[in-house]
Every structure is written in C-alpha cells, then in structure tokens.
C-alpha cells in the first residue's frame, strides 16, 4: 500500500487551561492518500479549521502525531517545515491571505520564487494557474482591485501552483457565486486527480459531493464518515 500523503494519528488540540479550556480536537485519526479528496463538514466550532491548521503544520497539536509525506512534523526542523510548506503544501485560507502589495501574479509565484525557481519558469506556472481560474486578464491587478470572488480564485491558484501535493482548503468557495464555486471545485478535483491529496472544509453539500469521502466532525471528533457512494444518502439524512 502506498503511504498516505497525510496522516493524523490521535490528534488532540486543547485551547486554554482550567475552567475555560476548550477541547477543539478530541482524538482525530485521518489518512489521505494520493488522488483522494476528503471533505470535512461539521457545525461552526466543531474543529474544522483547527484540523486543517494542524495538518499543514501551522500549529502543533496538544498531543498526537502529524505525518506529511513520511515527515513527522513534531520532530522536523524549522527548515524542513518551511520547505514542506513552500513545496508540498497548498493552503487556501478562509480570509484568502493575499499580500496586498503584490499583484495577482506575484502572489501566486511567490512560493515558487522562494523555492528558487527561475522567474521565467515561475511566471509561466503562475500564468497557467491563473488562467485555470479564469483570471488571465488580471495578472497585474492588486488584491484591492479584485472582487472577493476573484481574490479567492487567486488564493486557489497560489495553493495549486507548482504541483503542490497536499492541498488544504478552508471553505474556499465561501465568497463565491455558485458558478465560480463550481469552477473552483473542478480545479481542486483536477489537481487531486493529477496526483495530489486534498482536504476541503465546506458547508455546501454540493461541493462536498466532489469529494471521494466526507468526514463529519462534531465537538472535535469524527462522528461519521462516508465514501462517495453513500455520501448522498448521508447528506440527505442531514437535511
Ligand atoms: P470550525 O472551523 O469548525 O468552526 P475551529 O477549529 O475554528 O472550528 O474551532 C474549534 C473550537 O476551538 C471552537 O470552540 C473555537 O472557539 C475554539 N478555538 C479555535 N481557535 C482558538 C484559539 N486560537 N483560542 C481559543 N479557542 C479557539
Ligand atoms: Mg473554520
């Protein structure tokens, strides 16, 4: 069996201490393999964003282990972690996190340039990624000149550029109209089909339907899991 791109083993996350402590994740095990897109659903506060942030090494879990492409994040050096984030991980945050002083193109190619790609090669990859989200006419626009939906698409292009192998997307379709939302899902699906692994946090059943598997979180625990075949019935139960 091939090694999962991402493994979470017994992951817990506690915020705060004592009376006010919050148990955001209460023991989560999750494997995601190449070519697999996993949707994570659950009420607000159920731990979805915490799970993504831990999976991407942006925060250390209170207990448990995170393994990305065989690298144990708990023992990786700062340098290894930084390299992993630049090279292997693509993040799409709820609030886009674009750099306001950089153009759309520069936002997308920044991780590649940091990683030592030649400017010309980075530009070509950036152009392809932006074209794939329908923004080939906005390469030189700054985030402030773009609509929320367009900014979201730049963030998606940045997450997939350069063949990232683990894509973590936190409600990437939140600010988008339904047509653009579908286009974004298609792009994510295409990237995963080409060999990446992906986790998508979403509230939208019709976007979760693009996933191979849906994981339901409640109070920091996985309470239900469904393969695509049974996902539809689970979703209609939830309605
Ligand atoms: P979701 O993305 O599903 O809405 P989160 O992962 O953001 O859930 O939050 C899970 C729980 O952890 C919530 O109760 C939230 O209030 C709490 N939480 C999240 N981040 C922090 C933080 N930095 N400090 C304290 N509590 C937090
Ligand atoms: Mg969230």
């Amino acid at each position: 069996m091939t090694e999962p791109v991402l493994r979470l083993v017994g992951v817990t996350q506690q915020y705060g201490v004592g009376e006010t402590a919050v148990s955001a994740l209460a023991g989560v095990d999750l494997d995601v393999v190449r070519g697999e897109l996993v949707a994570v659903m659950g009420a607000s506060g159920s731990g979805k964003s915490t799970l993504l942030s831990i999976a991407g090494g942006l925060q250390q879990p209170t207990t448990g282990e995170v393994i990305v492409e065989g690298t144990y994040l708990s023992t990786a050096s700062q340098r290894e972690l930084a390299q992993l984030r630049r090279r292997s991980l693509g993040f799409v945050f709820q609030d886009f996190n674009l750099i306001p002083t950089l153009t759309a193109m520069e936002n997308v190619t920044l991780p590649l340039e940091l990683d030592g790609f030649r400017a010309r090669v980075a530009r070509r990859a950036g152009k392809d990624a932006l074209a794939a989200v329908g923004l080939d006419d906005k390469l030189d626009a700054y985030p402030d000149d773009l609509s929320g939906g367009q900014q979201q698409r730049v963030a998606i292009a940045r997450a997939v550029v350069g063949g990232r192998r683990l894509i973590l997307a936190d409600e990437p379709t939140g600010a988008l109209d339904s047509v653009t939302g579908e286009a974004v899902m298609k792009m994510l699906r295409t990237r995963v089909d080409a060999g990446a692994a992906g986790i998508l946090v979403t509230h939208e059943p019709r976007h979760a339907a693009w996933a191979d598997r849906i994981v339901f979180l409640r109070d920091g625990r996985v309470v239900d899991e469904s393969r695509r075949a049974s996902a539809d019935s689970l979703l209609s139960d939830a309605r």
Side-chain angles (χ1 to χ4, degrees):
M1 217 195 97
T2 55
E3 178 169 47
V5 178
L6 171 70
R7 302 202 75 173
L8 301 182
V9 184
V11 166
T12 72
Q13 177 68 58
Q14 192 117 346
Y15 291 116
V17 288
E19 298 252 302
T20 56
V22 174
S23 179
L25 293 177
V28 171
D29 299 311
L30 181 67
D31 283 3
V32 189
V33 297
R34 263 170 68 92
E36 188 178 37
L37 179 62
V38 174
V40 176
M41 302 188 83
S44 176
S46 59
K48 305 181 298 296
S49 294
T50 300
L51 186 144
L52 274 203
S53 158
I54 287 174
L58 300 182
Q59 71 187 73
Q60 291 268 356
T62 306
T63 63
E65 197 53 75
V66 183
I67 305 137
V68 178
E69 296 189 312
T71 300
Y72 283 68
L73 300 195
S74 60
T75 52
S77 65
Q78 284 307 318
R79 189 157 170 273
E80 283 176 303
L81 282 178
Q83 193 172 69
L84 197 75
R85 278 199 287 263
R86 275 205 308 269
R87 239 175 237 176
S88 307
L89 292 179
F91 253 104
V92 187
F93 298 92
Q94 249 167 319
D95 55 2
F96 321 144
N97 271 12
L98 297 179
I99 299 172
T101 53
L102 299 182
T103 65
M105 173 66 104
E106 289 163 349
N107 265 284
V108 170
T109 56
L110 182 65
L112 298 179
E113 300 208 6
L114 288 173
D115 207 24
F117 279 73
R118 284 160 181 251
R120 194 161 45 85
V121 176
R123 263 194 89 79
R124 193 180 315 126
K127 206 168 174 178
D128 287 348
L130 283 164
V133 290
L135 289 178
D136 21 4
D137 57 339
K138 299 285 184 196
L139 305 183
D140 299 320
Y142 289 89
D144 279 352
D145 302 327
L146 299 171
S147 71
Q150 289 169 335
Q151 290 180 37
Q152 187 71 304
R153 283 185 276 159
V154 174
I156 307 256
R158 181 184 55 187
V160 302
V161 78
R164 266 128 232 291
R165 293 183 296 275
L166 177 59
I167 299 162
L168 304 169
D170 202 347
E171 305 199 36
T173 53
L176 304 181
D177 61 73
S178 63
V179 173
T180 319
E182 289 294 301
V184 161
M185 286 311 305
K186 197 168 191 174
M187 183 169 183
L188 205 55
R189 185 71 247 181
T190 302
R191 186 68 207 98
V192 168
D193 287 343
I199 302 186
L200 160 78
V201 169
T202 183
H203 282 115
E204 297 270 359
R206 78 193 138 85
H207 292 154
W210 287 80
D212 301 297
R213 189 150 61 100
I214 304 177
V215 167
F216 293 86
L217 275 187
R218 190 163 70 212
D219 298 333
R221 286 176 206 281
V222 175
V223 290
D224 224 328
E225 217 171 316
S226 65
R227 298 264 152 205
R228 179 135 66 180
S230 55
D232 289 342
S233 65
L234 251 173
L235 285 170
S236 57
D237 285 352
R239 277 198 284 268

